[in-house]
Amino acid sequence: MRAFHCAAALLVGLFLWTAEAAASIVVRVDKTSQTMRVVVDGEHRYTWAVSTGRAGYNTPNGSYRPQRLERNWRSRKYGMAPMPHSIFFRGGYAIHGTNMVGRLGRVDSHGCIRLAPGNARTLFDMVARQRGATRIVIEGTSPRQAPPALVASRAGRSAAAAPRTAQMRLAQPGRQVAAVPAGTRSAQAAPRSSGIRFATRAAAPQAVAPVAPRNDNRHFLEWYLRR
């Protein structure tokens, strides 16, 4: 009896697995909302956040079939960056997992479609069971976004504009004036001016008339005549 139940459970599991494998899978990516909807045999199963190509790295629109699946893949074009559970649908374009989960929900990739690691593994296993019945549809328009290098250069220029302008104003030739505390300049100027006047007077002394020698006989004669 136990063997009968085990065999029945095995047959039910095999039937369910076969039904899921035979079910059609539609992976619909909307670049406008940066989301992915997974529909299995007409039933909506999942809605996940994705990251498609940023400015200059567009993710191509269209309807595709999976070309090849790579469970562990690294990008030779972009510094051997990890691309786990890759589902390639057009040349080097693929749906794959990413460690940059915080950037999902906005354009950020070089053209691939990024998913959270767990979601990428779930989709990979589903497509691996029924690759021929899987269709990947990409539609919508990527939100506008300035390239990161341009944003960084604009931020750097605006931050450096004010200090550079202040330096240019201070660096004008012939206008540098040493800062002197209040009251110090007048106190230093007076001794310097008086020293200059004293040096001028010493350089040109006034002439003094010589004193005549004293003559005692002349005084005695004048006294004698007045008698």
Side-chain angles (χ1 to χ4, degrees), residues 70-78 80-88 92-98 112:
E70 300 288 348
R71 190 171 295 274
N72 296 300
W73 187 258
R74 288 184 177 272
S75 173
R76 299 185 180 91
K77 187 176 182 180
Y78 297 107
M80 300 302 291
M83 299 170 57
H85 300 101
S86 291
I87 304 172
F88 288 90
Y93 293 97
I95 302 171
H96 64 82
T98 179
C112 289

Side-chain angles (χ1 to χ4, degrees), residues 52-54 56-59 77-78 93 108-112 114:
T52 60
R54 63 175 181 258
Y57 298 93
N58 184 46
T59 301
K77 187 176 182 180
Y78 297 107
Y93 293 97
D108 190 65
S109 75
H110 290 98
C112 289
R114 297 177 181 174

Side-chain angles (χ1 to χ4, degrees), residues 105-176:
R106 58 182 178 179
V107 292
D108 190 65
S109 75
H110 290 98
C112 289
I113 301 170
R114 297 177 181 174
L115 279 172
N119 299 338
R121 181 171 53 253
T122 299
L123 182 64
F124 184 91
D125 292 339
M126 292 174 60
V127 175
R129 287 194 294 266
Q130 190 62 21
R131 183 189 307 184
T134 300
R135 190 161 53 97
I136 301 171
V137 179
I138 303 173
E139 56 192 0
T141 306
S142 299
R144 291 184 179 181
Q145 182 189 43
L150 180 60
V151 174
S153 63
R154 287 178 180 174
R157 286 199 301 266
S158 60
R164 184 170 58 186
T165 304
Q167 292 176 2
M168 291 174 63
R169 290 175 180 173
L170 293 176
Q172 291 181 359
R175 298 191 62 180
Q176 296 183 357

Side-chain angles (χ1 to χ4, degrees), residues 9-68:
L10 182 61
L11 289 175
V12 171
L14 181 61
F15 173 78
L16 293 176
W17 182 86
T18 305
E20 183 179 358
S24 63
I25 301 173
V26 178
V27 180
R28 191 173 295 274
V29 178
D30 185 358
K31 296 193 298 184
T32 305
S33 61
Q34 293 294 293
T35 56
M36 173 189 291
R37 296 173 65 249
V38 180
V39 179
V40 180
D41 201 15
E43 179 187 355
H44 178 210
R45 292 281 187 90
Y46 306 102
T47 299
W48 295 321
V50 299
S51 285
T52 60
R54 63 175 181 258
Y57 298 93
N58 184 46
T59 301
N61 288 10
S63 180
Y64 307 95
R65 298 285 183 180
Q67 294 180 349
R68 78 176 195 275

